[in-house]
């Protein structure tokens, strides 16, 4: 599907505010892709699709996840997490996206995970730092993203986990795995 028609399809499935967020994530992702030698086309596709399921009914999302035999742990966590794997399933089944890396970038854009690919990190970071976002520390994240994806990802997952812990919210295991792996890489944890 060509980009303009795809954008119309996506716009129809969400609020104007959310669609504008999607466009800002897409622009951020394309810029980061160019400076990190990641496919700009893949970054654009993953960014355009990343929130496609955000406005679906909770029950429809649950049905899709159950039918696709998705990770059952998702059902013990807030349904806010569901739109990411559901979005990957929709991108594949309704739009014929078969590229595993694009699908994984959509699937893990909310939780992160261990062993993320460069594209997965790129989408996770772009979603968090797009120009419409505003939270304490964001300028530092933007600066890091402009310098090094790996360092930016480490700071982004730290920020996300800390945010949840501070409000006593549960943290999905994939996010913990992502966080722990970054600590191990940095060598701050001796195993
Ligand atoms: Fe999202
Ligand atoms: Fe998003």
């Amino acid at each position: 599907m060509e980009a303009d028609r795809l954008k119309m399809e996506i716009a129809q499935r969400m609020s104007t505010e959310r669609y504008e967020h999607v466009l800002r994530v897409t622009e951020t992702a394309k810029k980061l892709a160019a400076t990190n030698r990641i496919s700009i086309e893949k970054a654009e596709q993953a960014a355009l699709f990343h929130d496609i399921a955000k406005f679906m009914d909770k029950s429809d999302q649950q049905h899709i996840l159950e039918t696709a035999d998705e990770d059952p742990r998702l059902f013990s966590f807030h349904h806010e997490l569901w739109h990411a794997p559901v979005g990957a399933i929709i991108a594949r089944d309704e739009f014929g996206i078969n590229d595993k890396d694009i699908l994984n970038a959509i699937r893990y854009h909310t939780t992160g995970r261990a062993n993320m690919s460069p594209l997965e990190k790129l989408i996770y970071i772009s979603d968090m730092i797009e120009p419409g976002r505003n939270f304490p520390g964001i300028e530092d994240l933007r600066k890091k993203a402009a310098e090094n994806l790996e360092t930016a990802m480490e700071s982004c997952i730290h920020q996300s986990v800390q945010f949840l812990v501070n409000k006593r919210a549960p943290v999905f295991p994939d996010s913990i795995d992502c966080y722990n792996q970054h600590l191990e890489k940095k060598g701050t944890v001796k195993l």
Side-chain angles (χ1 to χ4, degrees), residues 18 50-51 54 80 83 109-110 127:
R18 179 57 46 173
H50 87 280
D51 273 342
K54 187 94 177 171
E80 166 66 24
H83 76 282
H109 84 262
T110 306
D127 191 27

Side-chain angles (χ1 to χ4, degrees), residues 59-129:
S59 57
D60 290 343
Q61 291 194 45
Q62 183 164 357
H63 178 70
I64 287 174
L65 291 173
E66 282 169 352
T67 310
D69 217 10
E70 285 288 330
D71 189 340
R73 295 176 304 180
L74 284 164
F75 302 117
S76 334
F77 284 80
H78 197 276
H79 67 268
E80 166 66 24
L81 298 185
W82 301 356
H83 76 282
V86 172
I89 294 168
I90 289 178
R92 186 192 63 201
D93 294 353
E94 290 188 37
F95 294 86
I97 304 294
N98 288 314
D99 186 296
K100 216 45 200 144
D101 202 17
I102 295 177
L103 295 176
N104 283 336
I106 303 167
R107 175 177 299 268
Y108 296 106
H109 84 262
T110 306
T111 57
R113 64 163 173 168
N115 301 319
M116 291 171 88
S117 74
L119 183 67
E120 289 174 43
K121 288 175 192 160
L122 179 87
I123 296 299
Y124 188 99
I125 295 165
S126 302
D127 191 27
M128 204 155 164
I129 65 163

